[in-house]
Structure formats: structure tokens, C-alpha cells
Amino acid sequence: MRPYLLSLLILTPLIAAERAVDPTFLRRSISSAAAKESDIASSGCRYKPLFGAGDSHPALARGVARFGEITVDPGAESKAVQYPKEEQVYFISEGAGELIYSGRKVKVRRNDFMYLPAGVSHGLANSGTGALKAILMGFKLPAGTPSGAAAAAPIIANTDDVRKQVVGNHPPSTLYQLMMGDTRSTRDKIAAGHVLTSLFIMEMTPGGTNFPHHHDREEEIYLLLDGTGDMVAGGGMDGVEGRHASKPGDAYFFRLNCTVGFYNTGSTAAHILAVRSLYPFGK
């Protein structure tokens, strides 16, 4: 055998071993995720990273800076954080407490969602008797994003005040609550995002689906709040080969153009918290 062929045969497996293939989607679960050190964590506050900062694949989510769960113990507070190049959203998934916004405290409760503009100091406090939990979502602002002046008071709404509706080409088995959109939105309860384009909850009837689809300009995250079913991720040749049995607390990050969808296989309604954000490098 020629020497250069022998060298090629030896080197090829080594090169393949060094080169990791990026996944098409990421799957995480709140129940199995470990709390990690974070700038918001304190002695009475823990943060479980699911995507972005703190995750094992932080670079895969290009526009998503962080996505995870904050838990604040009764009588405790998180550390206050401030990000000059990142907009954030909190969704209160359990309990009640206070949002710390520019040094002032504003009461928040379960199913509240709020926009936290870049540069504003914010955190959470728990004055109740049970745990306060929130889903934290952060999005990287590209250079040239208009800064504007942060509102003196936080922009907060509750899902109880967001109507359920059928949207676009999706089947009527899925009802949408359109919680937050970008600054130009006229259909969402809050219009504030720059990179964030849509925050919503989907309610799917038993046997229902939102029909698998993809987005060619946006990354997306699904978090199953309750119910059971099959998450569609990756798609395969027919668009629905990639079905994954999912339970409450399971979260999926979908890369650009990844097939995304859900089928409710349970006997009760299923609810998914979903967020879409712009891919920062164009198509």
C-alpha cells in the first residue's frame, strides 16, 4: 500500500472523531435539567438552563441568548441583572411574587408575562409561601437595534386577558393565545420585541395538531406545559417521521427550517408555550 494512502486511512477516523455534527434540534426537560451557576442565581434562587447560556450546545441557538427556568424560594430574591444587548421576557409558570424592575417592585402572579428591555435592571422576589417559578427567555440584539427609552413601568399582561383563536393555515384543533409580538405587531397583546417575533400558547384538543411546518427566518422553542403527545422535530422524508413522545416540562429548540409540530395523543387538552425569534444572520 502506498504511504500516502496508509496515512489517509489512519487520519480519516481521527478527523471524523474531532468533527462533531451539529444537531438539527435540541431536546431538554425541566425535570432532568440541573441548576447551574448564573448571574441571576442567589442563595434562594436557582436557574436551570435549557438552551443558550449554560447549556451543552450554547452556540447552536444563534439568536437565543438563554432559555430556562428560574425558581425563587419563599422570602428570597434573585440577583438583579442588566443586559445592554439583550431583550428578555419572563413568563410566571407557578406561584406569585414581585418583579424587581429598575429598583421598584411590581406584583406578578401565575400566567403573567412581561417584556424586559435591554439595559433595564430586573429580577424576581418571592414574598409568598410557595415557590415562585418563571420561564426566562433572552434574545441577542444585533448591532444597530434602536435602543429607545425603557418604560418607567414594566409592560405586563396575563394570559387570562388574551383571547383564544384559530390562526392562519393551522387547523381548528389548535387555539392560539397571542401574547407578545414585535414592535410592529397589531394582533398580539404586547407589541415590544426586536428579535422576538412571537410569544404564544397553543391549546390542542385530544387528537389535535398544529400541523407540522417550518420557518425559514426564525428559530423556535416549544415547552410542553401540560398534556402528552408527540413532538415533531426534524421531520424526515415525509415531514412527520421525526415524532418524539413528550411529557410536561419537555422543551425543544428548533433550528432554522427544522420541521416543527405537535400531535396531542392524550385524552385531555395539551398546552405549549412557544416563542419564535429572528435568526440573526439573514436567510
Side-chain angles (χ1 to χ4, degrees):
M1 182 177 291
R2 296 179 182 178
Y4 73 88
L5 289 177
L6 179 60
S7 299
L8 183 62
L9 289 173
I10 294 173
L11 288 174
T12 298
L14 296 175
I15 294 171
E18 293 175 359
R19 173 67 170 89
V21 178
D22 288 337
T24 304
F25 65 92
L26 297 175
R27 178 180 182 176
R28 304 287 184 259
S29 178
I30 290 176
S31 62
S32 61
K36 295 187 178 179
E37 288 296 323
S38 168
D39 49 5
I40 199 169
S42 68
S43 59
C45 172
R46 297 168 299 284
Y47 176 65
K48 289 184 174 183
L50 298 179
F51 308 114
D55 180 46
S56 58
H57 286 80
L60 193 68
R62 298 300 183 89
V64 179
R66 66 198 79 235
F67 184 99
E69 182 189 63
I70 303 172
T71 300
V72 186
D73 296 331
E77 293 185 1
S78 72
K79 290 180 181 177
V81 294
Q82 188 174 8
Y83 301 101
K85 296 181 180 180
E86 180 181 330
E87 61 182 357
Q88 289 198 344
V89 172
Y90 286 169
F91 172 73
I92 307 299
S93 56
E94 183 178 325
E98 296 84 30
L99 168 70
I100 305 170
Y101 184 91
S102 293
R104 61 177 293 195
K105 290 185 176 180
V106 180
K107 289 187 178 299
V108 291
R109 59 188 176 94
R110 185 174 182 269
N111 290 333
D112 275 351
F113 54 97
M114 58 219 70
Y115 180 77
L116 304 167
V120 171
S121 174
H122 59 274
L124 288 172
N126 185 354
S127 57
T129 57
L132 170 64
K133 296 187 177 184
I135 303 303
L136 180 158
M137 295 162 264
F139 306 93
K140 304 170 189 175
L141 295 177
T145 302
S147 57
I155 306 172
I156 302 176
N158 190 278
T159 58
D160 290 347
D161 302 318
V162 182
R163 71 185 181 94
K164 298 177 181 180
Q165 58 182 301
V166 177
V167 171
N169 295 320
H170 297 290
S173 60
T174 298
L175 296 178
Y176 289 75
Q177 289 178 286
L178 304 176
M179 301 154 62
M180 191 180 300
D182 62 24
T183 56
R184 299 169 296 177
S185 174
T186 58
R187 67 176 190 171
D188 298 274
K189 185 68 175 178
I190 294 175
H194 293 282
V195 174
L196 180 149
T197 58
S198 190
L199 174 70
F200 53 98
I201 286 178
M202 293 181 286
E203 179 181 275
M204 297 187 194
T205 59
T209 180
N210 62 335
F211 202 76
H213 56 283
H214 72 276
H215 301 281
D216 59 7
R217 296 183 63 244
E218 296 161 302
E219 298 173 316
E220 190 158 24
I221 294 173
Y222 278 10
L223 172 63
L224 184 58
L225 298 175
D226 56 44
T228 57
D230 290 344
M231 196 73 70
V232 177
M237 291 295 290
D238 65 357
V240 294
E241 287 177 22
R243 290 177 62 152
H244 309 270
S246 300
K247 62 185 185 304
D250 285 355
Y252 286 73
F253 167 79
F254 303 95
R255 290 178 61 183
L256 212 65
N257 285 313
C258 177
T259 301
V260 48
F262 186 81
Y263 288 91
N264 183 353
T265 61
S267 58
T268 60
H271 294 86
I272 290 176
L273 177 70
V275 64
R276 289 203 305 267
S277 55
L278 288 174
Y279 186 78
F281 304 110
K283 288 185 62 173

